[in-house]
Amino acid sequence: ANEQDINGAEIGSHSTKFFNSIHQIDLVPTISLLLGLPIPYANIGGVAPTLLPPLTSSSTTDGRRQSHEAPYTALALALNAAQVWNYLNDYSKSSKAFPAAALKELKERLEEATRVFQLAMGEGEEESDDSLAWREAAGLFKVFLGEANELGRRVWTKFDTMGMGFGIFGIVC
C-alpha cells in the first residue's frame, strides 16, 4: 500500500500541488483530448482536470442525480499516464539518463493507480460513477504525471555554468 495517505476521501494533501497548477506543458495533452486527438508521443505534460468540460449528471432509477465526471477524469488521466510511461520507458532504453530507482518508483506508482482504476471499473452499478475509487484513481494518476514531469525536468534541465561563462566571455570580447 502507499504510505502517502491516498484514500480517496481527500485524494491526499501531497497531491494538491499537482491539481492546483497548470503549466504550459499540460496544455498539449489537455487540448489533444478535448479535440479527440491522441496525445503527442513525446509530451510529458499531464492533463489538467480543471480544463476538462463539465459532464452533466443523469438520474438514476430512484431519482438521484449521478455524476459522470470522476470516471471521465480518471480515464483521461489513465490514457495520459500510459502515454507518458511509454515515452519514458522507451527513452530510458536508448538513454541511461533516468536513474533506475526513479523509474522503478514511477512504475510502482503507475501500477498502483492502474490497480485502483481497475477496482473502480469493477464496482459496476452498486456504486455511483462519482465514487471514491474513481477519485482516488484520478489522484494517483495525477501524482504519477507530476512526478514523471519532475523527473524529466531534473534529468533534462541542466545548466553548464562554465560553458555559459565561456560563451558570454566570447560574446563580450
Side-chain angles (χ1 to χ4, degrees):
N2 190 343
E3 297 292 319
Q4 295 183 328
D5 186 34
I6 296 181
N7 62 15
E10 47 180 82
I11 302 203
S13 59
H14 65 283
S15 68
T16 57
K17 71 177 180 172
F18 298 122
F19 277 102
N20 290 333
S21 62
I22 298 174
H23 299 282
Q24 185 176 10
I25 196 170
D26 299 333
L27 293 175
V28 172
T30 305
I31 291 171
S32 294
L33 286 177
L34 290 172
L35 294 175
L37 301 171
I39 298 168
Y41 176 71
N43 186 316
I44 63 166
V47 171
T50 55
L51 297 181
L52 296 176
L55 297 176
T56 57
S57 58
S58 60
S59 296
T60 61
T61 55
D62 61 357
R64 291 181 296 135
R65 302 297 287 169
Q66 185 173 13
S67 171
H68 301 287
E69 287 189 41
Y72 175 71
T73 300
L75 177 59
L77 290 165
L79 291 170
N80 188 195
Q83 168 267 322
V84 167
W85 174 253
N86 287 338
Y87 175 69
L88 292 177
N89 193 37
D90 288 349
Y91 185 89
S92 69
K93 289 176 184 173
S94 64
S95 166
K96 301 298 180 206
F98 295 115
L103 280 176
K104 182 178 184 255
E105 187 177 317
L106 265 181
K107 182 179 181 184
E108 289 169 357
R109 175 91 61 215
L110 180 60
E111 288 170 348
E112 174 66 9
T114 302
R115 185 188 64 75
V116 172
F117 183 77
Q118 289 171 338
L119 285 172
M121 288 192 317
E123 286 181 348
E125 297 299 319
E126 303 104 40
E127 294 287 327
S128 120
D129 275 350
D130 201 29
S131 73
L132 292 179
W134 286 115
R135 291 171 186 260
E136 182 180 358
L140 287 166
F141 282 126
K142 195 65 180 165
V143 170
F144 165 83
L145 290 164
E147 290 177 356
N149 189 289
E150 287 177 13
L151 175 63
R153 216 175 290 157
R154 243 186 357 257
V155 168
W156 291 318
T157 308
K158 300 206 186 236
F159 296 99
D160 180 3
T161 53
M162 182 182 249
M164 288 189 292
F166 282 131
I168 292 170
F169 180 75
I171 292 172
V172 173
C173 294

